[in-house]
């Protein structure tokens, strides 16, 4: 298939590019490089540096490359930033997605795989954990709302267009890198737990701060579901392969197990063999205490389940990239 990957220079999108090509697909990337890195686009994949809101240009890219399916990863994804600048998030994540869909409609591209998030569930009630796709969606920040909004658009657009098909994939916490450790997780600024602990293990930070130790969890710290990026992208490719006119998949992507912040710190110490200095700080506003998936629906409907489920293996994969690229893409980026 010919696949357009938006956000293909970002962490998850760059893995999609690599694994799609490995699976024999032709790939074109569109990325504005506002958060992504040219060096993350591997294998001489064509990279169009452009804004998605320019639907006429995007339509030309779709037509010129005979695109069959769009995988849409391009988004801003900092919860705190979305609270400070909601308009930016609604424009970038919601309005631009609509322009992209408009470009697709103009050219007749009917397959869409959308990167959504467990943040659309907000703070689920204890009886909804593990979280299934039927859990009520009540985002608690503009980032979650911006993704939820696109889900809503896709639902309505699908109903009105029987030939359109889409997969809405709600990610839990994505981690790890490709086996060759060619690409990996790099954000600027870095806010994600595993990269931060790895930076501390490398001596690039003096310590890791635990945001809150008084949650109603066994060790008092927040619990999350960490899914390996390779498993995550396998699910995308499987969904894409199964899209038929009228299909609308909605799946959670997680492993179905939760690990606390302390679990992750302990696992990282085991994997790296480094002692990591930990300080205990206050809660970070907006962090739900427990989020982990019930990934049963995609297992039942498509037979997918995560293969890499040991937390040490997931962290070892992230460490493989981080230890080789302690400064991320710095020094070799666009
Ligand atoms: N944490 C720390 N210290 C740090 C960084 C994180 O204790 O220095 C904690 C957080 O408080 C949280 C856990 O580690 O409890 C994981 O935090 P991350 O920032 O790595 O990930 P989040 O769970 O906050 O974020 C993920 C996705 C977001 C999405 C969100 C939904 O990365 O895109 O889940 O809740 F919006």
């Amino acid at each position: 298939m010919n696949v357009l990957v938006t956000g293909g220079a970002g962490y998850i999108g760059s893995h999609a590019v690599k694994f799609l090509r490995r699976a024999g697909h032709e790939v074109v990337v569109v990325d504005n490089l506002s958060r992504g890195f040219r060096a993350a686009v591997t294998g001489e994949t064509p990279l169009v540096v452009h804004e998605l809101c320019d639907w006429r240009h995007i339509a030309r890219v779709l037509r010129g490359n005979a695109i069959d399916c769009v995988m849409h990863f391009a988004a801003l994804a900092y919860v705190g930033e979305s609270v400070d600048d909601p308009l930016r998030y609604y424009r970038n994540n919601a309005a631009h997605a609509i322009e992209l869909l408009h470009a697709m409609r103009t050219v007749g591209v009917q397959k869409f795989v959308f990167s959504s998030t467990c943040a659309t569930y907000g703070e689920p009630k204890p009886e909804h954990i593990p979280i299934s796709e039927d859990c009520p969606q009540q985002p608690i920040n503009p980032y979650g709302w911006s993704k939820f909004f696109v889900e809503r658009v896709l639902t309505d657009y699908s109903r009105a267009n029987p030939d359109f098909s889409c997969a809405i994939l709600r990610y839990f916490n994505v981690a790890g890198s490709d086996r060759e450790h060619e690409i990996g997780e790099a954000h600027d600024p870095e806010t994600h737990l595993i990269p931060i602990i790895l930076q501390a293990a490398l001596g690039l930070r003096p310590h890791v701060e635990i945001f809150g130790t008084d949650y109603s969890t066994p060790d008092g710290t927040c619990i999350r579901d960490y899914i390996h990026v390779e498993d995550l992208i396998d699910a995308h490719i499987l969904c894409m392969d199964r899209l038929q006119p009228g299909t609308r998949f909605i799946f959670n992507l997680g492993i179905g197990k939760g690990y606390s912040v302390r679990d992750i710190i302990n696992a990282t110490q085991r994997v790296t063999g480094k002692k990591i200095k930990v300080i205990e700080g206050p809660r970070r506003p907006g962090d739900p205490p427990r989020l982990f998936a019930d990934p049963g629906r995609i297992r039942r409907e498509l037979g997918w389940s995560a293969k890499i489920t040991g937390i040490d293996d997931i962290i070892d994969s992230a460490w493989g990239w981080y230890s080789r690229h302690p400064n991320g893409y710095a020094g070799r980026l666009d």
Side-chain angles (χ1 to χ4, degrees), residues 178-233:
D178 62 315
R179 274 171 231 172
E180 297 77 26
H181 306 306
E182 187 184 13
I183 48 180
E185 185 168 11
H187 304 104
D188 186 15
E190 190 53 78
T191 62
H192 293 88
L193 182 64
I194 293 176
I196 281 178
I197 305 174
L198 294 175
Q199 287 174 351
L202 285 165
L204 299 171
R205 286 177 188 262
H207 57 254
V208 176
E209 179 176 348
I210 301 181
F211 297 146
T213 53
D214 59 349
Y215 285 97
S216 55
T217 58
D219 69 15
T221 68
C222 287
I223 291 176
R224 295 287 182 274
D225 181 334
Y226 295 86
I227 175 173
H228 193 276
V229 66
E230 185 156 357
D231 280 325
L232 184 99
I233 300 302

Side-chain angles (χ1 to χ4, degrees), residues 212-285:
T213 53
D214 59 349
Y215 285 97
S216 55
T217 58
D219 69 15
T221 68
C222 287
I223 291 176
R224 295 287 182 274
D225 181 334
Y226 295 86
I227 175 173
H228 193 276
V229 66
E230 185 156 357
D231 280 325
L232 184 99
I233 300 302
D234 278 352
H236 285 63
I237 296 175
L238 180 62
C239 286
M240 179 182 81
D241 288 345
R242 299 290 182 88
L243 290 178
Q244 297 292 335
T247 307
R248 185 171 59 94
F249 292 133
I250 300 177
F251 294 131
N252 284 340
L253 296 182
I255 67 171
K257 265 193 281 182
Y259 293 95
S260 72
V261 175
R262 288 194 206 278
D263 290 336
I264 299 297
I265 293 171
N266 291 339
T268 308
Q269 294 190 135
R270 275 197 303 276
V271 166
T272 62
K274 312 259 187 206
K275 181 91 188 104
I276 293 157
K277 183 168 182 224
V278 175
I279 62 168
E280 297 184 356
R283 293 184 178 196
R284 186 172 67 177

Side-chain angles (χ1 to χ4, degrees), residues 37-304:
F37 304 97
R38 195 182 284 274
V41 182
T42 52
E44 294 174 21
T45 309
L47 166 64
V48 178
V49 180
H50 213 84
E51 296 292 344
L52 290 176
C53 54
D54 183 356
W55 68 266
R56 286 188 180 80
H57 189 79
I58 301 301
R60 281 194 290 275
V61 173
L62 293 169
R63 191 180 286 114
N65 292 282
I67 295 296
D68 304 296
C69 177
V70 174
M71 283 197 187
H72 180 41
F73 297 94
L76 299 172
Y78 290 115
V79 168
E81 185 181 67
S82 80
V83 174
D84 294 340
D85 195 350
L87 207 55
R88 186 167 178 211
Y89 273 67
Y90 286 115
R91 288 183 72 201
N92 193 81
N93 294 0
H96 289 191
I98 294 170
E99 295 305 304
L100 172 62
L101 286 165
H102 179 62
M104 289 172 61
R105 179 171 64 172
T106 309
V107 178
V109 179
Q110 301 285 20
K111 294 183 180 183
F112 193 68
V113 179
F114 176 57
S115 162
S116 190
T117 167
C118 65
T120 60
Y121 295 117
E123 287 197 31
K125 296 203 172 83
E127 62 267 30
H128 289 125
I129 294 172
I131 301 166
S132 77
E133 291 80 356
D134 299 323
C135 174
Q137 288 177 286
Q138 286 170 342
I140 54 168
N141 50 60
Y143 167 66
W145 279 113
S146 70
K147 291 284 186 172
F148 180 75
F149 192 81
V150 179
E151 290 198 12
R152 184 72 236 171
V153 170
L154 288 171
T155 300
D156 291 342
Y157 185 57
S158 302
R159 285 199 186 114
N161 295 278
D163 289 336
F164 182 72
S165 59
C166 64
I168 293 170
L169 303 176
R170 297 180 187 147
Y171 310 164
F172 284 69
N173 291 50
V174 188
S177 80
D178 62 315
R179 274 171 231 172
E180 297 77 26
H181 306 306
E182 187 184 13
I183 48 180
E185 185 168 11
H187 304 104
D188 186 15
E190 190 53 78
T191 62
H192 293 88
L193 182 64
I194 293 176
I196 281 178
I197 305 174
L198 294 175
Q199 287 174 351
L202 285 165
L204 299 171
R205 286 177 188 262
H207 57 254
V208 176
E209 179 176 348
I210 301 181
F211 297 146
T213 53
D214 59 349
Y215 285 97
S216 55
T217 58
D219 69 15
T221 68
C222 287
I223 291 176
R224 295 287 182 274
D225 181 334
Y226 295 86
I227 175 173
H228 193 276
V229 66
E230 185 156 357
D231 280 325
L232 184 99
I233 300 302
D234 278 352
H236 285 63
I237 296 175
L238 180 62
C239 286
M240 179 182 81
D241 288 345
R242 299 290 182 88
L243 290 178
Q244 297 292 335
T247 307
R248 185 171 59 94
F249 292 133
I250 300 177
F251 294 131
N252 284 340
L253 296 182
I255 67 171
K257 265 193 281 182
Y259 293 95
S260 72
V261 175
R262 288 194 206 278
D263 290 336
I264 299 297
I265 293 171
N266 291 339
T268 308
Q269 294 190 135
R270 275 197 303 276
V271 166
T272 62
K274 312 259 187 206
K275 181 91 188 104
I276 293 157
K277 183 168 182 224
V278 175
I279 62 168
E280 297 184 356
R283 293 184 178 196
R284 186 172 67 177
D287 273 341
R290 286 163 87 231
L291 289 176
F292 60 94
D294 169 359
R297 185 189 281 181
I298 187 168
R299 188 181 60 240
R300 287 189 300 276
E301 293 190 16
L302 300 187
W304 176 91

